[in-house]
Amino acid sequence: MEQLETFYRVCVRASNLLRTIELTRYDTRSQRIVVLIGETIQVEILSNGEELKQVASRKSQVSFVTWI
């Protein structure tokens, strides 16, 4: 249930920032939800509700950031 609540919060935050949600996917193997926001933000939500966030720069480098 924590995973679903976190997914909802991520989608609401993206919407509030007027960002498009490009893709959502549930990976049955790892039991993670992956959300692609805009062209640069990727959020993975673990089964316990923990968020892993990445922001890719235009040069395809990836760094971890804290959610706005």
Side-chain angles (χ1 to χ4, degrees):
M1 190 62 167
E2 293 92 6
Q3 188 178 37
L4 183 58
E5 291 172 355
T6 302
F7 174 68
Y8 177 78
R9 284 194 304 271
V10 165
C11 291
V12 168
R13 286 192 305 234
S15 177
N16 288 344
L17 294 172
L18 302 177
R19 296 292 208 143
T20 59
I21 298 172
E22 301 292 336
L23 175 75
T24 60
R25 180 176 189 273
Y26 180 71
D27 185 346
T28 55
R29 186 177 48 87
S30 65
Q31 296 183 341
R32 293 181 178 192
I33 296 174
V34 178
V35 183
L36 298 179
I37 302 169
E39 295 180 8
T40 58
I41 302 171
Q42 175 179 327
V43 179
E44 292 186 40
I45 305 169
L46 306 179
S47 59
N48 65 0
E50 181 181 348
E51 298 175 45
L52 303 176
K53 300 158 215 89
Q54 298 177 350
V55 175
S57 71
R58 300 262 180 211
K59 297 178 183 176
S60 300
Q61 296 174 341
V62 176
S63 60
F64 288 93
V65 297
T66 302
W67 187 262
I68 300 171

